[in-house]
Amino acid sequence: MNDFMLAAGTCILTGMLTTINPCPLTTTIASIGFLSGYGQKTNHTAIVILLFLLGFLSSYLVLSILLASGLIAIPDISRGLQQYFSVIIGPVLILAGMFQSQLIRIR
């Protein structure tokens, strides 16, 4: 049972790492082809491939949740930048001008 848990964790991790690849279609086909030769029994092979697909789908789910929540937060970020950006950027630009005109020197 311990070997099966290690293989299951490896399959989920492989599925997650496959989504990072620039061409996931070919690596998915290659990974499923490799994993289909893993098990001696048909049950093992099906479970291993399903775990791989679970890792693959869960990483896409996490990415889509992060992207959607980021897009939903854009109006709040915009409002905050409009309110506080001028307060922050003003002193920064004054200091940058003082450094360029050498009124302030760094040793």
Side-chain angles (χ1 to χ4, degrees):
M1 188 66 178
N2 197 12
D3 290 337
F4 182 72
M5 294 301 286
L6 179 64
T10 304
C11 288
I12 290 174
L13 182 64
T14 304
M16 289 180 180
L17 291 176
T18 301
T19 59
I20 299 171
N21 197 341
C23 188
L25 181 63
T26 57
T27 55
T28 303
I29 292 170
S31 297
I32 289 176
F34 174 75
L35 292 173
S36 65
Y38 166 75
Q40 301 291 335
K41 299 177 183 177
T42 317
N43 296 358
H44 262 318
T45 304
I47 291 171
V48 166
I49 290 174
L50 285 175
L51 289 172
F52 170 78
L53 291 175
L54 176 71
F56 191 80
L57 293 175
S58 65
S59 61
Y60 272 119
L61 178 69
V62 169
L63 283 173
S64 64
I65 289 171
L66 289 175
L67 285 173
S69 63
L71 290 174
I72 289 171
I74 285 177
D76 295 331
I77 293 171
S78 175
R79 228 175 282 118
L81 285 175
Q82 288 174 4
Q83 189 173 8
Y84 297 112
F85 193 68
S86 61
V87 174
I88 296 169
I89 200 68
V92 170
L93 290 175
I94 290 171
L95 286 174
M98 291 174 77
F99 280 120
Q100 286 183 343
S101 64
Q102 295 182 352
L103 292 174
I104 299 175
R105 295 180 188 202
I106 298 177
R107 296 180 189 185

